[in-house]
């Protein structure tokens, strides 16, 4: 089955700096890669996603890149703000049904 | 908000008991997936229901079972509760099969505590 690895597990940045979170996946058939933000005690919320026919996608301060050959994808947050502090999960969707395999999460702390 | 709702919000049970959790999917979504999220970990896929049929299952024992109803709402049932079943249970709805509509949207979750 699919295996998704995520690094780093924790990340502290100064407000205004950039943050990068990296993930690798194992199943070459995976074709959809969402990123979720989860604040303490709340549901995971989709912040951006990318499909396998695209190499990069950007939405304001958030961007995701995908390298299918190397089977890795990354989340980039620029101009970080304290409200960006949360746990971020990468995920990969594969299989004939929609099994989403999540990474282990990155706790991002943005220091004012 | 996603339009996906879950009930109850919190639940406390004792070992050996049975529990039923409920999920109402976003309007128009015919697929519901259930996940278990232990404290400090990522969500783990339990199973998925598509048009009232189980459409895939993760590494969970048979005491985890589910149902999906004609209106696409869903239930997760857990029998013979164990302490390790304490977790946040999330459901997510989606509408697979069409481009850009297979994104899964999560409900707020049910926090289950087993004593």
């Amino acid at each position: 089955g699919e295996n998704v690895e995520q690094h780093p597990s924790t990340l502290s940045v100064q407000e205004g700096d950039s943050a990068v979170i990296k993930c690798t996946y194992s199943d070459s058939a995976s074709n959809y890669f969402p990123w979720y933000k989860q604040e303490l005690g709340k549901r995971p919320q989709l912040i951006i996603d990318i499909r396998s026919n695209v190499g990069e996608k950007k939405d304001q301060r958030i961007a995701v890149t995908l390298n299918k050959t190397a089977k890795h994808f990354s989340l980039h947050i620029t101009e970080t703000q304290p409200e960006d502090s949360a746990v971020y999960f990468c995920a990969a969707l594969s299989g004939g049904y929609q099994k989403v395999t999540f990474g282990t999460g990155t706790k991002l702390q943005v220091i004012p | 908000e996603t339009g996906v709702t879950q009930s109850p919000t919190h639940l406390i049970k004792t070992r050996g008991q049975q529990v039923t959790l409920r999920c109402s999917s976003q309007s128009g979504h015919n697929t519901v997936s259930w996940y278990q999220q232990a404290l400090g970990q990522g969500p783990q896929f339990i199973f998925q229901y598509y048009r009232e049929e189980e459409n895939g299952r993760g590494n969970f024992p048979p005491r985890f079972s589910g149902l999906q109803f004609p209106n696409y709402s869903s239930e997760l049932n857990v029998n013979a509760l164990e302490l390790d079943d304490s977790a946040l249970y999330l459901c997510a709805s989606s509408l697979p099969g069409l481009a850009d509509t297979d994104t899964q949207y999560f409900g707020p979750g049910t926090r289950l505590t087993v004593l």
Side-chain angles (χ1 to χ4, degrees), chain B residues 2-115:
Chain B
T2 63
V4 182
T5 61
Q6 291 185 245
S7 63
T9 306
H10 296 88
L11 202 52
I12 299 175
K13 292 285 189 178
T14 57
R15 275 187 306 173
Q17 286 189 312
Q18 179 266 342
V19 68
T20 297
L21 310 181
R22 295 178 175 83
C23 172
S24 291
S25 58
Q26 186 167 315
S27 178
H29 285 186
N30 58 13
T31 301
V32 175
S33 304
W34 284 92
Y35 295 84
Q36 180 195 67
Q37 186 176 24
L39 199 61
Q41 298 182 22
Q44 298 293 314
F45 177 77
I46 302 175
F47 45 55
Q48 180 184 92
Y49 279 82
Y50 170 68
R51 293 186 175 179
E52 304 178 57
E53 296 287 333
E54 188 178 292
N55 187 39
R57 190 178 183 92
N59 296 324
F60 282 81
R63 58 190 187 84
F64 285 79
S65 63
L67 284 173
Q68 188 180 31
F69 301 98
N71 66 355
Y72 302 135
S73 64
S74 177
E75 287 183 354
L76 165 65
N77 299 290
V78 187
N79 294 321
L81 284 167
E82 301 177 359
L83 296 179
D84 285 349
D85 294 334
S86 295
L88 180 67
Y89 288 86
L90 295 159
C91 74
S93 75
S94 58
L95 181 63
L98 300 175
D100 296 335
T101 64
D102 53 358
T103 299
Q104 295 192 6
Y105 294 95
F106 284 87
T110 293
R111 173 71 63 185
L112 173 64
T113 302
V114 182
L115 302 175

Side-chain angles (χ1 to χ4, degrees), chain A residues 31-32 34 36 38 41-46 49 51 89 93 96-105, chain B residues 1-2 4 31 35 37 41-43 45 48 55-57 88 90 94 96 100 102-104 106-108:
Chain A
N31 56 10
Y32 173 62
Y36 289 90
Q38 188 174 31
K42 297 190 175 180
R43 75 185 81 192
Q45 290 194 310
L46 180 75
D49 55 14
R51 298 180 189 276
F89 291 99
L93 185 149
Y97 57 94
Q98 292 192 311
K99 177 180 177 180
V100 177
T101 302
F102 283 81
T104 49
Chain B
E1 299 302 323
T2 63
V4 182
T31 301
Y35 295 84
Q37 186 176 24
Q41 298 182 22
F45 177 77
Q48 180 184 92
N55 187 39
R57 190 178 183 92
L88 180 67
L90 295 159
S94 58
D100 296 335
D102 53 358
T103 299
Q104 295 192 6
F106 284 87

